[in-house]
Amino acid sequence: MFEQIVFYAFAAGLIFAAFMVITVRNPVHAALFLVAGFFASAGLWLLLEAEFLAIALVLVYVGAVMVLFLFVVMMLDINITVLREGFTANLPIAGIVAFLMLAAIGLVVGRHHFGLTEIPAPQAAGADYENTAALGRVLYTQYLLPFEIAAVVLLVAIIAAIALTLRSTRQTKAPRPERQVRVTRAERVRLVSMAAEKPAPADAPEA
Amino acid sequence: MNDLTLIMPEASLLVLACAVLLVDAFVGRARPDATFWSAVLSCVVVLAQVASFVPEKTLFAFSGTLRVDVLGVVLKTFVVALVLLSFFYAREHFSKRPGERRGEYYPLALFATLGMMILVSASSLLTVYLGLELLSLSLYSLVAIQRDSLPASEAGMKYFILGALASGLLLYGMSILYGVAGTLDLPELLVKIDNLESSRLLLTFGLVFLVVGIGFKLGVVPFHMWVPDVYQGASTPVTQFIGTAPKVAAFGMAMRLLVDGLEGLAENWQQMLIILSVLSMGLGNLLAIAQRNFKRMLAYSTIAHMGFLLLGLISASSNGYAASMFYVTLYALMSMGAFGSIILLSSSQGDADQLSDLTGLARRSPWFAFILLILVFSMAGVPPFGGFWAKWSVLKEVVAADYVWLAGLAVVFSLIGAFYYLRVVKIMYFDAPEPGAAQVRSSADMGLILSANGLAVLVLGLVPNILMQVCLAAAIPYAP
């Protein structure tokens, strides 16, 4: 009973947060609601006895990824009114399509097919069960290849990020002391030989 | 067989791609050709490794997440060979445009190749997804790499957002399949589906999302929205890259998911593919007629060709799969040549990507007009060029599978398509060139590569059996 209350509380929180992410006006608030959404899913994962993953979600996504994301959102100069144009115009059609999709999905992925009689709840693990150790064991044995490919995907992401943002031309200006002290007079002073006085033009108009 | 021996081509490609990246970082600026040649060398090494080992029966590695079979080896050979060919075109393009960023092109293309190799030899839903992501991520960044060009940035953004959406849908479908069958392993899924008659609806529900993912990667209607903008917006060698090898890989992905994993649901996915195929052939061919931009026209023609390719899968027989494979390989070769001609005609000022840039090509450069004539006739499906046999073999299998109306529809759409292909020929041969039109100038190796590309299509049209035997051999395990 208690488990169900907790589940519904977190699930409702997750749906609310997800809805707010796409509807609030302020992008910073949207990012903060996304953080709330991550917290709610971490709670759900705890209920599923995936403790390590739940904590990793909070540490990595809430702690690192979203903070960076917030910085990016704050630094970008987003004109929200321009982005919002056409949002309400398409809402009726989009709403109908979304509702129909939701109803169809609800019919298929409902109690009839995923109920407790069709798919019984797994046995709860004992007190000495170590989530982290079990995860580590399959990650480095059974799922070694996917794990390595994921690493390559991250490498490509790094290369792509650098390729898309690095400006090869120098944009920062800094003094170079080693060149400053070696400067010679010829580089700084140019002697120009010229007449001492500029002669007045012969046919200058009278003032 | 040792796991590491089986994954040797992929492993060496990873190491070589990193090496190419380092070569570019350290000597790329002083000698741009060093990056190119090291990339070519990597492809040759990997090609030799892939082709040197053809397994007699399907082998599995890494706890069944990777498989090595004839289909995988053949597709990997085609993919790497196509990538190698596209590098030569890219070099010509970059030598005409010293200002464009070229350094990251080769390493990113090699990483995309790695993704394609993993994708076509995947044996688990997880490997399929990761291979696809590796491929897509490299492609997104390749499109957007000309960041000072507005069309390229827009195309990259569109591709990225729609691609992320498609990945999400694919993952959702995979999670449903995992929820029902309790396994990520494709061969295991194949066995389990037969015992899951009661969950048929759920499995079909998951299948829909998988078909969406495949449809997006192939670029078939209604998941085609990204194709024209990406083809037109991206730099020509990038478009050429996207339009060739990844199509072969997407075919491999469809084979792995639909046939290796979900053949038990064939009657369901056949229906879905028929809808996708008819819509693509119709919309692609009709909209291509209205295009004035050559790259955009080729984009719509790709949509139509991918619809045609699906016909072979619809027949759900080993001969049909072989016919589809033959089709996609030939299509990749033709599309390579067509984009190659754009690179050939372009100057340092800009892309020659308007149809009007081809005006009177026959008088300016009879030989290259002839090569483009071969390619365009082949795309239209005129005998004796390769494209005719590709269309013919697919149609034969569709008729054999008792979908005569579908074959008839495909022929009608091909006839509509012939109109815009023949218009290209008309512009080249019967329109007089503008008075000031420049002669076509190309480096010797570019002329050689493009000629070989065009003549290969002609040769495959005269002796299609060379390639067809390979495709049939790859599809033997799927015979009932």
Side-chain angles (χ1 to χ4, degrees):
Chain A
M1 190 59 205
F2 173 69
E3 247 180 48
Q4 282 189 349
I5 295 171
V6 174
F7 170 78
Y8 282 114
F10 276 126
L14 179 55
I15 292 174
F16 173 73
F19 185 73
M20 291 306 275
V21 169
I22 56 166
T23 48
V24 287
R25 289 193 167 271
N26 191 331
V28 176
H29 293 174
L32 288 174
F33 271 112
L34 197 54
V35 171
F38 282 133
F39 269 116
S41 3
L44 288 177
W45 287 6
L46 273 179
L47 274 183
L48 292 170
E49 297 180 26
E51 293 88 3
F52 176 74
L53 288 179
I55 292 167
L57 183 71
V58 172
L59 284 182
V60 176
Y61 275 84
V62 178
V65 175
M66 283 317 293
V67 171
L68 260 178
F69 212 85
L70 265 178
F71 271 113
V72 172
V73 169
M74 283 190 223
M75 280 183 203
L76 287 178
D77 183 21
I78 303 172
N79 190 347
I80 202 76
T81 45
V82 176
L83 289 180
R84 291 269 153 189
E85 270 173 27
F87 185 78
T88 44
N90 297 326
L91 196 61
I93 304 170
I96 291 168
V97 172
F99 178 76
L100 285 177
M101 278 295 289
L102 193 67
I105 291 177
L107 277 181
V108 178
V109 197
R111 176 173 276 238
H112 310 293
H113 294 100
F114 279 116
L116 280 179
T117 45
E118 280 78 18
I119 299 172
Q123 284 286 312
D128 57 342
Y129 181 75
E130 261 195 79
N131 202 279
T132 320
L135 196 69
R137 210 168 286 129
V138 290
L139 203 56
Y140 291 104
T141 52
Q142 198 184 347
Y143 296 110
L144 177 66
L145 183 68
F147 181 74
E148 295 293 336
I149 302 171
V152 181
V153 172
L154 288 180
L155 175 65
V156 170
I158 295 171
I159 298 169
I162 294 174
L164 291 178
T165 52
L166 182 76
R167 299 267 164 192
S168 48
T169 49
R170 273 182 76 88
Q171 286 182 319
T172 52
K173 291 188 172 130
R176 289 193 192 165
E178 79 279 10
R179 291 195 59 200
Q180 283 177 333
V181 297
R182 283 207 314 250
V183 74
T184 57
R185 192 191 67 176
E187 287 174 57
R188 288 285 188 266
V189 183
R190 188 164 58 102
L191 291 179
V192 185
S193 83
M194 57 188 287
E197 194 177 316
K198 198 176 178 186
D203 54 349
E206 295 297 318
Chain B
M1 237 1 187
N2 190 320
D3 279 1
L4 286 176
T5 324
L6 289 176
I7 205 176
M8 211 44 170
E10 283 86 353
S12 42
L13 180 56
L14 174 60
V15 173
L16 288 166
C18 293
V20 172
L21 194 66
L22 289 178
V23 166
D24 181 59
F26 286 103
V27 294
R29 192 155 303 176
R31 318 164 148 229
D33 259 6
T35 318
F36 164 75
W37 283 113
S38 56
V40 166
L41 188 70
S42 317
C43 279
V44 171
V45 169
V46 174
L47 195 60
Q49 280 182 332
V50 171
S52 64
F53 175 66
V54 182
E56 282 165 19
K57 63 179 177 58
T58 306
L59 299 166
F60 293 95
F62 291 98
S63 331
T65 47
L66 191 87
R67 72 195 277 159
V68 180
D69 57 2
V70 185
L71 178 74
V73 168
V74 171
L75 286 176
K76 279 192 265 188
T77 313
F78 288 161
V79 162
V80 181
L82 286 166
V83 169
L84 179 61
L85 189 56
S86 73
F87 280 172
F88 283 94
Y89 287 111
R91 181 197 194 199
E92 173 77 8
H93 176 88
F94 291 129
S95 74
K96 282 181 179 174
R97 305 284 180 79
E100 272 193 25
R101 293 175 68 83
R102 69 184 76 188
E104 290 86 2
Y105 174 83
Y106 299 108
L108 280 175
L110 286 176
F111 279 113
T113 314
L114 180 61
M116 290 187 259
M117 289 173 72
I118 291 167
L119 186 57
V120 299
S121 44
S123 183
S124 147
L125 293 175
L126 211 52
T127 334
V128 169
Y129 175 70
L130 284 167
L132 180 69
E133 279 306 285
L134 183 54
L135 165 63
S136 308
L137 200 62
S138 314
L139 291 185
Y140 304 146
S141 42
L142 276 177
V143 171
I145 211 162
Q146 303 300 334
R147 56 190 177 201
D148 297 325
S149 138
L150 200 59
S153 311
E154 189 197 328
M157 207 63 193
K158 243 177 212 172
Y159 194 18
F160 177 65
I161 291 174
L162 288 175
L165 188 68
S167 290
L169 290 174
L170 186 74
L171 269 185
Y172 187 57
M174 286 177 173
S175 72
I176 294 282
L177 288 181
Y178 179 69
V180 179
T183 176
L184 289 169
D185 197 51
L186 287 168
E188 209 173 311
L189 197 62
L190 187 69
V191 178
K192 281 203 171 171
I193 280 179
D194 288 336
N195 311 326
L196 285 168
E197 261 323 302
S198 57
S199 314
R200 193 80 183 189
L201 179 67
L202 268 180
L203 288 170
T204 318
F205 181 72
L207 172 70
V208 172
F209 292 98
L210 253 55
V211 171
V212 171
I214 296 168
F216 179 84
K217 208 63 231 162
L218 282 171
V220 290
V221 180
F223 314 110
H224 67 290
M225 299 297 184
W226 61 275
V227 181
D229 289 326
V230 169
Y231 271 48
Q232 193 182 359
S235 163
T236 314
V238 174
T239 311
Q240 186 184 39
F241 188 85
I242 293 176
T244 51
K247 301 291 177 197
V248 178
F251 165 76
M253 175 186 167
M255 286 297 288
R256 291 304 180 210
L257 286 178
L258 298 182
V259 182
D260 281 335
L262 300 168
E263 204 177 15
L265 299 174
E267 53 189 77
N268 298 86
W269 54 253
Q270 273 172 322
Q271 307 295 326
M272 300 177 198
L273 293 189
I274 286 177
I275 299 172
L276 297 185
S277 166
V278 170
L279 285 177
S280 309
M281 287 189 295
L283 198 81
N285 278 324
L286 287 175
L287 289 182
I289 294 176
Q291 305 307 319
R292 288 284 170 271
N293 182 302
F294 194 31
K295 272 161 107 179
R296 213 171 169 83
M297 193 197 95
L298 285 173
Y300 282 105
S301 119
T302 303
I303 296 172
H305 278 290
M306 291 302 118
F308 216 104
L309 160 80
L310 288 181
L311 289 176
L313 291 175
I314 288 166
S315 68
S317 64
S318 65
N319 283 345
Y321 303 146
S324 270
M325 198 167 157
F326 182 76
Y327 195 99
V328 77
T329 314
L330 254 176
Y331 170 73
L333 211 53
M334 297 185 293
S335 154
M336 179 81 78
F339 286 111
S341 348
I342 299 181
I343 293 178
L344 174 85
L345 295 174
S346 297
S347 63
S348 51
Q349 273 80 43
D351 275 342
D353 59 353
Q354 298 296 323
L355 280 177
S356 55
D357 288 321
L358 297 171
T359 314
L361 186 64
R363 272 176 241 173
R364 288 190 284 151
S365 167
W367 173 247
F368 289 118
F370 174 66
I371 294 289
L372 191 52
L373 174 94
I374 294 179
L375 294 166
V376 170
F377 269 166
S378 177
M379 281 192 180
V382 176
F385 303 105
F388 168 74
W389 294 106
K391 282 198 161 56
W392 190 76
S393 56
V394 168
L395 286 176
K396 194 176 72 174
E397 296 310 322
V398 176
V399 172
D402 280 341
Y403 287 108
V404 181
W405 63 271
L406 194 58
L409 211 56
V411 171
V412 171
F413 284 134
S414 298
L415 284 177
I416 297 175
F419 171 77
Y420 61 86
Y421 291 124
L422 292 180
R423 190 172 62 193
V424 173
V425 175
K426 180 217 155 221
I427 291 173
M428 285 194 301
Y429 277 84
F430 299 106
D431 290 0
E434 287 162 30
Q439 290 294 310
V440 176
R441 290 183 194 288
S442 74
S443 61
D445 49 348
M446 172 69 183
L448 209 63
I449 293 282
L450 184 59
S451 309
N453 193 162
L455 292 177
V457 173
L458 178 63
V459 168
L460 283 175
L462 298 172
V463 271
N465 269 347
I466 312 173
L467 184 58
M468 199 61 205
Q469 291 304 330
V470 176
C471 295
L472 282 171
I476 283 175
Y478 300 102

